Structure formats: structure tokens, C-alpha cells
Amino acid sequence: MSVVVANPSASDDYFRFFGLNQQFTIDLPALDQAYLAIQKEVHPDRHARGSDTEQRLAMQMATLANTALQTLKNPVQRGLYICQLHGVDAKLETNTAMPAAFLMKQMEWRESLDEQADDLPALEKLMDEVETSKQDTLAEIAQAIDSAKNYQRAAELLRGLLFINKFALELDDAIVALA
């Protein structure tokens, strides 16, 4: 018995591994379906009587499928992965340079959070603004990757999205503390 659904030679590209087009705007139901098909094929019970090599390959494919699924399901991870596939490293640890307008917006949000820490309606309004900014940034990332093929710009936007996500978590904590 051999593993036929998962293509081990496609393991260097998670999109090919799942038989999907390499793009930021992803068909999540198709991803889930491809993942389930692979997991069904590589399930340990299907290979219990197989050779050690077959069992090991099935386990490697199952692990790869899990890693690939987690990477492609998360928009930030998916974007960073696509950039990496095209030779662009977002340098998250070392490159914190952001456009001045973006930094000003971050500072405004922080001040609003500090000044309105006890004002639930104000914090909820701020959360709406942050969510809108997040959706706008995701749309810009999709445009940069899927249309313009500008992976450098996408990496910049992804770094910004990480800041937005971090702030959204802090804001959410503040809202939960008041509710």
C-alpha cells in the first residue's frame, strides 16, 4: 500500500501539496477538503500493516499536511510563506521600519486606548476602526501578491498587519476587562 493522495515531491510548496493555486486569496473549503483527503490517506490505521518505511512516510505526510494547513489557513503566515517562496524575507525580527502615517495611526490608537480605558462604547468604536484597518490591509496584501506580484510590498504590509493584530488583541483584552 502506498500513499497516493499526498505528493511528497510537492512538499517544498504547500499550495502544490494540496493541489491549490499559489495565491493569497485562498479557497478555504477547498483547502480543508484537500487536507481531509490527505489525512484520510495517511492515517496510521491505514498503514498499521505496512512496512516501517510506509509507516514513516505516512507519518511524515501527516505532519507535513498539518504544518501546511496551519500555514495556509492563517493570512499572515500564508502571506509570509508566499513571499518566502518568491525569495522575499519579511525580516520580522530585524525590520521594524514602518511608514510614518502608519506609525502615527498606531500612536493615535494607543492614546485612545489609554485615554478611554474605562469607556466601553469608545473602545468598541475603536475596535471597529481597527478591524476596518485590518480588512483594508488584507485587501492590500491580496492585491500586492495576487495582482501586482509585488512581494516586497506584501512583506511590508504583512509587518504592519502584525502590529494591527497585536494592538487588536490588547484592545480586545481591555474590552473584555470592562464587559
Side-chain angles (χ1 to χ4, degrees), residues 50-75:
S51 69
D52 285 351
T53 303
E54 286 173 341
Q55 288 179 16
R56 192 171 59 254
L57 179 61
M59 180 58 76
Q60 287 171 344
M61 288 293 104
T63 302
L64 176 61
N66 286 330
T67 302
L69 179 74
Q70 295 312 313
T71 300
L72 297 185
K73 270 197 132 154
N74 178 305

Short mmCIF file of all heavy atoms in Angstrom, two decimals, residues 50-75:
data_model
loop_
_atom_site.label_atom_id
_atom_site.label_comp_id
_atom_site.label_asym_id
_atom_site.label_seq_id
_atom_site.Cartn_x
_atom_site.Cartn_y
_atom_site.Cartn_z
N GLY A 50 1.66 -1.94 7.14
CA GLY A 50 2.67 -1.59 6.13
C GLY A 50 4.07 -1.74 6.69
O GLY A 50 4.27 -1.97 7.89
N SER A 51 5.02 -1.61 5.81
CA SER A 51 6.43 -1.69 6.23
C SER A 51 6.76 -0.47 7.10
O SER A 51 6.02 0.52 7.13
CB SER A 51 7.34 -1.72 5.00
OG SER A 51 7.30 -0.46 4.36
N ASP A 52 7.91 -0.54 7.76
CA ASP A 52 8.36 0.59 8.56
C ASP A 52 8.49 1.84 7.69
O ASP A 52 8.14 2.94 8.10
CB ASP A 52 9.72 0.29 9.21
CG ASP A 52 9.59 -0.68 10.39
OD1 ASP A 52 8.44 -0.95 10.80
OD2 ASP A 52 10.63 -1.14 10.87
N THR A 53 8.98 1.66 6.48
CA THR A 53 9.16 2.78 5.55
C THR A 53 7.81 3.40 5.20
O THR A 53 7.67 4.63 5.21
CB THR A 53 9.87 2.31 4.26
OG1 THR A 53 11.11 1.72 4.62
CG2 THR A 53 10.11 3.46 3.31
N GLU A 54 6.81 2.57 4.91
CA GLU A 54 5.47 3.07 4.59
C GLU A 54 4.86 3.80 5.78
O GLU A 54 4.26 4.87 5.63
CB GLU A 54 4.55 1.94 4.14
CG GLU A 54 4.85 1.44 2.75
CD GLU A 54 4.05 0.19 2.38
OE1 GLU A 54 3.54 -0.50 3.29
OE2 GLU A 54 3.96 -0.09 1.18
N GLN A 55 5.04 3.24 6.96
CA GLN A 55 4.51 3.88 8.17
C GLN A 55 5.20 5.23 8.41
O GLN A 55 4.54 6.21 8.76
CB GLN A 55 4.70 2.97 9.39
CG GLN A 55 3.77 1.77 9.39
CD GLN A 55 3.99 0.86 10.59
OE1 GLN A 55 4.63 1.25 11.56
NE2 GLN A 55 3.46 -0.36 10.51
N ARG A 56 6.52 5.27 8.21
CA ARG A 56 7.26 6.50 8.42
C ARG A 56 6.84 7.57 7.40
O ARG A 56 6.64 8.73 7.73
CB ARG A 56 8.77 6.25 8.36
CG ARG A 56 9.59 7.44 8.84
CD ARG A 56 11.08 7.13 8.99
NE ARG A 56 11.71 6.69 7.75
CZ ARG A 56 12.07 5.43 7.49
NH1 ARG A 56 11.90 4.49 8.40
NH2 ARG A 56 12.64 5.11 6.35
N LEU A 57 6.69 7.16 6.13
CA LEU A 57 6.26 8.09 5.09
C LEU A 57 4.87 8.63 5.40
O LEU A 57 4.63 9.84 5.26
CB LEU A 57 6.28 7.42 3.71
CG LEU A 57 5.82 8.31 2.55
CD1 LEU A 57 6.73 9.52 2.40
CD2 LEU A 57 5.77 7.52 1.25
N ALA A 58 3.97 7.77 5.84
CA ALA A 58 2.61 8.21 6.19
C ALA A 58 2.66 9.23 7.32
O ALA A 58 1.97 10.26 7.27
CB ALA A 58 1.75 7.00 6.57
N MET A 59 3.50 8.96 8.33
CA MET A 59 3.62 9.89 9.46
C MET A 59 4.19 11.23 8.99
O MET A 59 3.72 12.31 9.39
CB MET A 59 4.51 9.28 10.55
CG MET A 59 4.68 10.18 11.76
SD MET A 59 3.11 10.62 12.55
CE MET A 59 2.76 9.12 13.40
N GLN A 60 5.21 11.18 8.11
CA GLN A 60 5.81 12.42 7.58
C GLN A 60 4.78 13.22 6.78
O GLN A 60 4.70 14.44 6.90
CB GLN A 60 7.01 12.10 6.70
CG GLN A 60 8.22 11.65 7.47
CD GLN A 60 9.34 11.12 6.57
OE1 GLN A 60 9.13 10.82 5.40
NE2 GLN A 60 10.53 10.97 7.15
N MET A 61 3.97 12.52 5.98
CA MET A 61 2.94 13.20 5.18
C MET A 61 1.88 13.82 6.09
O MET A 61 1.40 14.93 5.84
CB MET A 61 2.28 12.24 4.19
CG MET A 61 3.17 11.84 3.03
SD MET A 61 3.55 13.21 1.93
CE MET A 61 5.22 13.58 2.40
N ALA A 62 1.51 13.12 7.16
CA ALA A 62 0.51 13.65 8.10
C ALA A 62 1.04 14.90 8.78
O ALA A 62 0.33 15.90 8.92
CB ALA A 62 0.15 12.58 9.13
N THR A 63 2.30 14.86 9.19
CA THR A 63 2.93 16.01 9.84
C THR A 63 3.02 17.19 8.87
O THR A 63 2.70 18.33 9.22
CB THR A 63 4.33 15.63 10.36
OG1 THR A 63 4.19 14.52 11.26
CG2 THR A 63 5.00 16.78 11.07
N LEU A 64 3.46 16.90 7.65
CA LEU A 64 3.56 17.94 6.63
C LEU A 64 2.18 18.55 6.35
O LEU A 64 2.05 19.77 6.25
CB LEU A 64 4.15 17.36 5.35
CG LEU A 64 4.23 18.32 4.16
CD1 LEU A 64 5.11 19.53 4.48
CD2 LEU A 64 4.76 17.59 2.93
N ALA A 65 1.17 17.70 6.26
CA ALA A 65 -0.19 18.21 5.99
C ALA A 65 -0.63 19.15 7.11
O ALA A 65 -1.23 20.20 6.84
CB ALA A 65 -1.16 17.04 5.84
N ASN A 66 -0.35 18.80 8.36
CA ASN A 66 -0.73 19.67 9.49
C ASN A 66 -0.01 21.02 9.42
O ASN A 66 -0.62 22.07 9.59
CB ASN A 66 -0.41 18.99 10.83
CG ASN A 66 -1.38 17.88 11.16
OD1 ASN A 66 -2.53 17.91 10.76
ND2 ASN A 66 -0.90 16.88 11.86
N THR A 67 1.30 20.98 9.18
CA THR A 67 2.09 22.20 9.09
C THR A 67 1.60 23.08 7.93
O THR A 67 1.41 24.29 8.09
CB THR A 67 3.58 21.86 8.89
OG1 THR A 67 4.00 21.04 9.99
CG2 THR A 67 4.44 23.11 8.82
N ALA A 68 1.39 22.45 6.78
CA ALA A 68 0.95 23.18 5.59
C ALA A 68 -0.42 23.80 5.82
O ALA A 68 -0.66 24.96 5.46
CB ALA A 68 0.92 22.25 4.38
N LEU A 69 -1.33 23.05 6.44
CA LEU A 69 -2.68 23.57 6.71
C LEU A 69 -2.62 24.79 7.62
O LEU A 69 -3.24 25.82 7.33
CB LEU A 69 -3.56 22.48 7.36
CG LEU A 69 -4.99 22.95 7.70
CD1 LEU A 69 -5.82 23.09 6.44
CD2 LEU A 69 -5.64 22.00 8.69
N GLN A 70 -1.87 24.70 8.72
CA GLN A 70 -1.77 25.82 9.66
C GLN A 70 -1.17 27.05 8.98
O GLN A 70 -1.61 28.17 9.22
CB GLN A 70 -0.95 25.42 10.90
CG GLN A 70 -1.58 24.33 11.74
CD GLN A 70 -3.06 24.58 12.05
OE1 GLN A 70 -3.45 25.67 12.44
NE2 GLN A 70 -3.88 23.57 11.85
N THR A 71 -0.19 26.83 8.13
CA THR A 71 0.46 27.95 7.43
C THR A 71 -0.51 28.63 6.47
O THR A 71 -0.62 29.85 6.45
CB THR A 71 1.70 27.45 6.66
OG1 THR A 71 2.62 26.88 7.59
CG2 THR A 71 2.38 28.58 5.90
N LEU A 72 -1.22 27.83 5.68
CA LEU A 72 -2.08 28.41 4.65
C LEU A 72 -3.39 28.97 5.20
O LEU A 72 -3.97 29.87 4.61
CB LEU A 72 -2.36 27.38 3.55
CG LEU A 72 -1.14 26.91 2.77
CD1 LEU A 72 -1.56 25.99 1.62
CD2 LEU A 72 -0.30 28.06 2.26
N LYS A 73 -3.85 28.46 6.33
CA LYS A 73 -5.11 28.96 6.91
C LYS A 73 -4.95 30.35 7.52
O LYS A 73 -5.87 31.15 7.50
CB LYS A 73 -5.62 28.00 7.99
CG LYS A 73 -6.53 26.94 7.44
CD LYS A 73 -7.32 26.29 8.55
CE LYS A 73 -8.73 26.28 8.10
NZ LYS A 73 -9.63 25.36 8.55
N ASN A 74 -3.77 30.64 8.07
CA ASN A 74 -3.53 31.91 8.74
C ASN A 74 -3.08 32.94 7.71
O ASN A 74 -2.05 32.76 7.07
CB ASN A 74 -2.46 31.69 9.81
CG ASN A 74 -2.09 32.96 10.53
OD1 ASN A 74 -1.72 33.96 9.93
ND2 ASN A 74 -2.21 32.93 11.84
N PRO A 75 -3.83 34.05 7.55
CA PRO A 75 -3.48 35.02 6.50
C PRO A 75 -2.06 35.57 6.60
O PRO A 75 -1.38 35.70 5.58
CB PRO A 75 -4.51 36.15 6.69
CG PRO A 75 -5.63 35.54 7.44
CD PRO A 75 -5.04 34.44 8.26
#
